[in-house]
Every structure is written in structure tokens, then in C-alpha cells.
Amino acid sequence: MHQEQALQIQAEDAQEHNDLGLTYSKSGKHREAIKAFKEAILKKPNYAEAHYNLAVTYLILNDSKAALREHNVLKNLDQERAIQLFDLIHG
């Protein structure tokens, strides 16, 4: 039970970092957004939404190589989001 609680706290923390990244991104603070998304992924490596948001932020900064790296991770986590991201990268 204790381990489940720890995982829940970690997941909530990951979501908070993802939300912070979205806030930074919306205000044009893309470097800070990248740090927040990466922190979310550190807390929860299979967090598809954070990988997607990180990739989109990389695209905003014209770093398609980094966006493609996230796409490769995302393919294994969320096929639908991976397709959306692929369309953004190559569209």
C-alpha cells in the first residue's frame, strides 16, 4: 500500500510539471517549458502527454530532430498521439 501511495504522489507531481510546462509554453517561455516537460517525464517515463508536449515545444523552437526523438518514444506509448505528432513534424 505504501508503494502505491508513493507512485500516486509521483504521478501527481508529473502532471503538475506537465501543467507547468503548458503554462510556460503558452506564455512563450519555451526553454522553461522544456525543462518542466522533461521533469514530468523523469517522474513518469511513460507519460505520453508530456512526451507529446515536449515534442511540440521542440517544433516551436525549430528542433525537428529532438521532436522526432520524442515521436519515437511516443509510438510505443500512444499510437494516436504519435500519428498527430508525425503530421505536425512532416506537415
Side-chain angles (χ1 to χ4, degrees):
M1 182 74 170
H2 190 68
Q3 185 179 8
E4 288 177 24
Q5 289 173 330
L7 289 173
Q8 181 65 30
I9 291 168
Q10 205 171 17
E12 289 172 6
D13 194 32
Q15 184 173 350
E16 289 173 9
H17 283 287
N18 185 65
D19 291 346
L20 179 61
L22 290 172
T23 300
Y24 279 138
S25 189
K26 287 177 185 174
S27 62
K29 297 179 179 178
H30 302 297
R31 298 281 177 211
E32 291 87 347
I34 287 171
K35 290 178 189 173
F37 295 136
K38 284 183 174 182
E39 188 63 31
I41 292 165
L42 277 174
K43 302 287 183 189
K44 187 177 173 187
N46 63 344
Y47 194 5
E49 185 178 346
H51 284 283
Y52 179 85
N53 292 333
L54 178 58
V56 170
T57 305
Y58 282 138
L59 286 175
I60 290 168
L61 296 175
N62 296 314
D63 190 348
S64 57
K65 276 187 171 182
L68 279 170
R69 283 194 306 268
E70 291 306 311
H71 175 262
N72 288 333
V73 173
L74 198 55
K75 286 190 297 189
N76 297 318
L77 301 176
D78 185 332
Q79 192 66 34
E80 188 175 320
R81 280 193 185 261
I83 291 168
Q84 291 171 351
L85 181 57
F86 184 86
D87 291 343
L88 285 175
I89 293 169
H90 297 288

